[in-house]
Amino acid sequence: MSGEVRVGVLVSGRGSNLDALCRAAADPGYPGRVVLVISNRRDAMALEVAGRWGVPAEAMPVSRYSHDDRARDRAMGERFREAGVALVVCAGYNRVLTEPFLEAYPDAILNVHPSLLPAFGGGMHAVEEALEYGVKISGCTVQLLEPGVPDGGPIILQRAVPVREDDDAASLLERIHEQEWLAVPEAVRLWCEGRIRRDGRVVRIAATPEEGS
Ligand code: GRF
């Protein structure tokens, strides 16, 4: 893919992954540019993070759409399309996206999850669950979102985080976050460079853009 890819980001919370992505994209050599941030929550700190980077940001709470997730998701898809967004990144978005949105962006929605999928997918307490299970290695996953099982999409990349004897959920999450801040900009870069090649549910990373097309 040539030129700069227009990236949209969906958020709900603190926005540390958004911050990491905006920092990476500030490099003139980075192949993507964050052009619009949408939050489902008006009070998401991530909206302020977007403001600090000069990125337009808006809240689209489901209450504005008669609490109809599909109607809100359709409107979000249209909003991103209007903004010329080619790639959407869910960076701490806490709702399951419905078909009208997923179908508007096939193979073009990335999601970051704080576990090594398929372990501890599908929920909001992956770090606590991993500790309760007693895993020795945790980490984060960036995957493509598609209709079907939440957190069941093709995996683009994963980064491992060893669990320490004295870890609690907060300390482990902190180290997982540090890996997410590397993984998200890296996955976005690969996508923008056209290096992600899907073979069924297996993603292969092409060495060059030409190989990936
Ligand atoms: C991240 O841990 C991500 O894996 C999960 O939500 C968290 C978002 O953090 N989906 P932030 O809002 O980017 O700080």
Side-chain angles (χ1 to χ4, degrees):
M1 207 166 288
S2 61
E4 218 172 40
V5 175
R6 295 173 73 81
V7 178
V9 183
L10 281 173
V11 293
S12 303
R14 187 161 74 119
S16 68
N17 281 288
L18 170 66
D19 192 52
L21 180 57
C22 288
R23 181 165 292 110
D27 181 334
Y30 194 78
R33 181 154 63 96
V34 182
V35 295
L36 178 62
V37 172
I38 295 178
S39 169
N40 58 324
R41 298 180 51 155
R42 287 194 184 89
D43 61 355
M45 272 172 55
L47 291 169
E48 291 167 32
V49 172
R52 285 205 289 277
W53 285 102
V55 175
E58 49 198 80
M60 295 180 73
V62 73
S63 55
R64 200 189 291 162
Y65 303 90
S66 312
H67 294 276
D68 179 344
D69 278 313
R70 293 176 68 86
R72 189 262 303 275
D73 286 4
R74 188 170 296 110
M76 281 194 324
E78 285 164 7
R79 190 67 198 83
F80 278 134
R81 285 285 180 219
E82 278 166 18
V85 164
L87 171 68
V88 176
V89 181
C90 298
Y93 187 64
N94 68 4
R95 302 292 301 173
V96 174
L97 289 165
T98 59
E99 274 88 1
F101 193 87
L102 297 171
E103 286 164 4
Y105 278 94
D107 284 344
I109 308 172
L110 307 188
N111 183 50
V112 58
H113 186 76
S115 76
L116 294 177
L117 292 172
F120 312 113
M124 298 299 294
H125 304 288
V127 177
E128 289 84 349
E129 287 168 19
L131 280 175
E132 277 163 27
Y133 197 92
V135 301
K136 302 300 183 193
I137 307 278
S138 186
C140 63
T141 303
V142 182
Q143 61 176 168
L144 286 167
L145 279 194
E146 59 184 11
V149 186
D151 293 324
I155 291 170
I156 296 175
L157 56 84
Q158 297 185 300
R159 295 182 73 96
V161 176
V163 178
R164 294 180 185 157
E165 291 298 321
D166 61 349
D167 260 334
D168 58 18
S171 63
L172 180 56
L173 180 59
E174 194 178 311
R175 295 201 311 289
I176 291 174
H177 264 137
E178 287 168 6
Q179 297 307 311
E180 290 182 338
W181 301 334
L182 300 173
V184 170
E186 173 65 3
V188 170
R189 189 173 63 79
L190 292 170
W191 196 98
C192 292
E193 289 176 349
R195 291 171 56 194
I196 291 176
R197 190 169 53 197
R198 259 191 88 166
D199 180 6
R201 65 154 293 114
V202 175
V203 169
R204 301 193 192 286
I205 307 297
T208 62
E210 292 71 32
E211 250 187 75
S213 61

